[in-house]
């Protein structure tokens, strides 16, 4: 790269952050970080009727949630601002006048049009390769409006002006903008400016091959935050939507992706969105994350459910279900019984297990056998339960299933022995007694 890399993400704040926009931001960020360059956030908010402060905040929140930071932008400042198009009117007026004075514009019923050169324009795209666009046919390629009769600007004009002013070296955007690129190249030439290099990434498609719209499942980044996906999992998945490290790896720390990101490894064909794959990456990410990070992500969901977020045993409790969690929204329900002695009993589990003849006797026997048990850990508890079962004799399952319901109220959950260890002897024996008291007389 002859000059320092400068890329930009230029969203329009009109409602939410689409997964396609988030991936575009991510690829630009990865490219900038790989090359030690600058990532610019530019807000295209010239449509005053559709743009809102709330929608802008959604963009900020979504990018930050994904772990994407920007070097220049509306809130970060920088030497090439303002970074909101609504604040750049005098800049656009200057460039408009430059084009007008040079004879590139003409008035068409109050709208101002840019006069295309009627020639073949070749786009040398970093991903799509060389593509020629023929401007000879005026009906197919009519002259482009740059300013509406009401004085407002058209996207193409302000986009090019901002790329010039902000010294953008590479434009990485969705393939749906590919047909705009020859028009932009003509504007750059008319303004006497060196154009950036372009790279158009494949569209994100639904499983049926249709283009993903804002109404489709998984389309909004906000949906991932609300449904309890770890941000690093969503970011990991988005990295793989159209890009590949070429070694079949699917779980990659972001530092590895930055080190390896290359536009040459961006796929040419559309990227099919697969929410099941995203779920798998989410589960794998949770399984492999540190207990500190897992606790950090779990705490807001525990608080929302009214559960303790700083209990001394919290890490141990969370670890019991860590291997089974796909979405953080599941955690509170999975561990709620650890934090109350007044947990409910699942009626189906009671009917299937505790109502069976001898089930309560098994709980009583196990409690008596464990009363003097030392040390109180999973291995010792497992050995004791199997010892008691062998003495009956019966299968260990005849003790395991009633004991699980007695201490959790549920038929399924984490490893019984580890669950008993984390609960501690006093609480386990008390829960055995509570269960006996509840169902003995029933």
């Amino acid at each position: 790269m002859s000059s320092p890399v400068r890329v930009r993400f230029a969203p329009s704040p009109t409602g939410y952050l689409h997964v396609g926009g988030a991936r575009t931001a991510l690829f630009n960020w990865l490219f900038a970080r790989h090359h030690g360059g600058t990532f610019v956030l530019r807000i295209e908010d010239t449509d005053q009727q559709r743009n809102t402060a709330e929608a802008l905040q959604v963009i900020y929140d979504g990018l930050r949630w994904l772990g994407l930071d920007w070097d220049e932008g509306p809130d970060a400042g920088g030497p090439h601002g303002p970074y909101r198009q609504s604040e750049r009117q005098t800049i656009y007026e200057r460039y408009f006048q430059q084009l007008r004075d040079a004879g590139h514009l003409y008035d068409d019923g109050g709208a101002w049009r840019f006069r295309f050169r009627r020639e073949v324009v070749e786009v040398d795209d970093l991903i799509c390769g060389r593509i020629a666009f023929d401007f000879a046919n005026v009906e197919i390629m009519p002259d482009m409006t740059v300013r509406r009769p009401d004085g407002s600007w058209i996207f193409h004009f302000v986009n090019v002006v901002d790329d010039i002013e902000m010294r953008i070296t590479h434009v990485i955007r969705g393939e749906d903008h590919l047909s705009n690129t020859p028009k932009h190249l003509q504007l750059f030439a008319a303004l006497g400016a060196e154009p950036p290099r372009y790279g158009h990434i494949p569209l994100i498609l639904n499983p049926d091959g249709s283009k993903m719209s804002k109404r489709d499942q998984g389309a909004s980044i906000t949906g991932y935050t609300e449904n309890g996906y770890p941000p690093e999992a969503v970011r990991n998945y988005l990295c793989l939507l159209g890009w590949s490290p070429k070694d079949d790896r699917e779980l990659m720390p972001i530092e590895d992706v930055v080190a390896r990101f290359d536009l040459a490894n961006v796929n040419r064909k559309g990227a099919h969105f697969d929410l099941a794959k995203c779920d798998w990456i989410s589960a794998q990410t949770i399984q492999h994350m540190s207990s500190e990070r897992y606790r950090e992500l779990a705490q807001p969901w525990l608080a929302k459910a009214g559960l303790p977020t700083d209990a001394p045993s919290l890490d141990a409790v969370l670890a019991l279900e860590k291997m089974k969690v796909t979405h953080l929204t599941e955690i509170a329900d999975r561990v709620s019984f650890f934090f109350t002695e007044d947990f409910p009993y699942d009626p189906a589990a009671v009917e299937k297990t505790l109502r069976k003849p001898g089930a309560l006797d098994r709980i009583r026997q196990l409690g008596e056998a464990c009363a003097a048990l030392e040390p109180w850990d999973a291995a010792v508890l497992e050995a004791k339960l199997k010892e008691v079962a062998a003495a009956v004799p019966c299968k260990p399952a005849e003790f395991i299933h009633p004991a699980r319901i007695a201490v959790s109220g549920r038929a399924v959950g984490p490893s019984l022995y580890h669950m008993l260890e984390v609960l501690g002897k006093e609480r386990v024996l008390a829960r055995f007694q509570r269960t006996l008291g509840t169902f003995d007389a029933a």
Side-chain angles (χ1 to χ4, degrees):
M1 305 282 171
S2 56
S3 58
V5 165
R6 289 180 59 83
V7 295
R8 46 73 168 178
F9 176 53
S12 179
T14 56
Y16 74 118
L17 181 59
H18 187 276
V19 69
R23 185 195 57 165
T24 297
L26 173 61
F27 279 23
N28 276 278
W29 182 88
L30 289 168
F31 189 77
R33 296 295 174 256
H34 177 82
H35 291 287
T38 300
F39 177 53
V40 178
L41 177 62
R42 184 172 80 215
I43 304 300
E44 298 192 341
D45 62 346
T46 53
D47 188 343
Q48 292 299 309
Q49 298 205 337
R50 295 180 63 209
N51 299 323
T52 66
E54 293 77 14
L56 179 57
Q57 192 61 48
V58 166
I59 291 172
Y60 288 156
D61 292 346
L63 293 178
R64 289 189 177 114
W65 182 78
L66 285 169
L68 306 184
D69 56 335
W70 44 96
D71 306 297
E72 299 176 22
D75 57 341
H80 304 289
Y83 293 91
R84 297 179 63 161
Q85 287 184 340
S86 59
E87 299 172 2
R88 298 175 62 81
Q89 296 302 317
T90 56
I91 298 171
Y92 302 143
E93 291 285 359
R94 176 160 48 88
Y95 278 83
F96 175 79
Q97 198 60 48
Q98 179 182 336
L99 288 175
R100 187 176 173 184
D101 291 347
H104 293 295
L105 302 180
Y106 62 92
D107 188 335
D108 180 15
W112 286 90
R113 288 183 175 270
F114 174 75
R115 186 178 285 109
F116 284 131
R117 299 190 311 278
R118 296 300 161 184
E119 61 188 24
V120 173
V121 176
E122 188 175 79
V123 176
D124 183 13
D125 193 270
L126 292 165
I127 297 169
C128 303
R130 291 183 179 274
I131 304 173
F133 295 84
D134 191 351
F135 282 77
N137 191 321
V138 177
E139 291 187 3
I140 296 175
M141 289 286 200
D143 288 338
M144 177 174 61
T145 300
V146 298
R147 195 172 199 175
R148 301 182 185 91
D150 65 3
S152 61
W153 306 103
I154 296 294
F155 154 79
H156 303 285
F157 174 67
V158 293
N159 187 272
V160 166
V161 169
D162 288 344
D163 284 347
I164 294 172
E165 284 282 306
M166 296 179 185
R167 302 180 186 179
I168 300 302
T169 62
H170 296 77
V171 171
I172 303 169
R173 60 188 180 185
E175 195 175 2
D176 50 337
H177 284 288
L178 181 58
S179 61
N180 293 329
T181 304
K183 302 172 185 178
H184 295 179
L185 290 176
Q186 289 227 29
L187 275 172
F188 277 105
L191 291 166
E194 182 73 21
R197 293 298 309 277
Y198 286 89
H200 289 86
I201 58 182
L203 299 180
I204 297 178
L205 307 175
N206 289 312
D208 64 1
S210 61
K211 181 181 175 181
M212 195 178 204
S213 74
K214 64 181 182 180
R215 294 174 298 277
D216 292 319
Q217 186 181 36
S220 171
I221 291 299
T222 303
Y224 296 95
T225 66
E226 293 174 344
N227 289 307
Y229 286 81
E232 50 266 66
V234 177
R235 185 179 61 206
N236 189 149
Y237 179 64
L238 292 180
C239 287
L240 301 175
L241 273 181
W243 174 82
S244 169
K246 300 301 182 186
D247 61 3
D248 295 328
R249 289 178 67 192
E250 293 182 311
L251 302 175
M252 297 184 67
I254 194 63
E255 297 79 13
D256 287 3
V257 181
V258 168
R260 304 179 64 169
F261 189 78
D262 186 345
L263 291 181
N265 288 341
V266 173
N267 302 328
R268 180 67 185 87
K269 59 183 180 181
H272 286 263
F273 184 85
D274 183 354
L275 193 60
K277 183 62 169 292
C278 188
D279 286 343
W280 179 83
I281 289 177
S282 180
Q284 292 293 311
T285 299
I286 288 172
Q287 289 179 22
H288 290 92
M289 69 175 48
S290 68
S291 59
E292 293 79 14
R293 176 59 173 160
Y294 187 44
R295 183 197 327 125
E296 177 188 358
L297 291 176
Q299 283 171 329
W301 298 99
L302 295 173
K304 188 175 181 180
L307 299 177
T309 59
D310 57 356
S313 62
L314 183 58
D315 283 352
V317 169
L318 293 176
L320 290 172
E321 291 279 22
K322 189 180 181 186
M323 301 300 288
K324 299 178 181 178
V325 171
T326 297
H327 305 120
L328 301 166
T329 47
E330 304 166 27
I331 295 174
D333 179 63
R334 285 182 177 273
V335 304
S336 61
F337 65 87
F338 280 96
F339 301 108
T340 176
E341 301 308 315
D342 191 29
F343 55 85
Y345 295 91
D346 175 24
V350 169
E351 196 61 37
K352 182 179 179 181
T353 300
L354 292 189
R355 299 293 188 198
K356 288 177 66 174
L360 296 177
D361 287 335
R362 300 291 183 244
I363 294 173
R364 188 177 292 106
Q365 288 173 293
L366 187 60
E368 291 170 355
C370 291
L373 196 62
E374 292 293 344
W376 187 270
D377 64 42
V380 173
L381 284 160
E382 182 176 6
K384 176 57 67 174
L385 183 146
K386 290 179 177 178
E387 175 190 313
V388 174
V392 171
C394 69
K395 294 180 179 179
E398 290 192 26
F399 282 89
I400 291 172
H401 298 315
R404 177 183 298 283
I405 298 170
V407 299
S408 69
R410 308 174 184 195
V412 294
S415 156
L416 174 67
Y417 309 113
H418 291 91
M419 181 165 60
L420 298 179
E421 177 183 332
V422 172
L423 280 166
K425 181 194 291 189
E426 183 178 335
R427 297 179 73 198
V428 167
L429 296 180
R431 290 182 180 206
F432 282 174
Q433 287 303 314
R434 178 197 177 208
T435 302
L436 293 172
T438 300
F439 298 104
D440 248 348

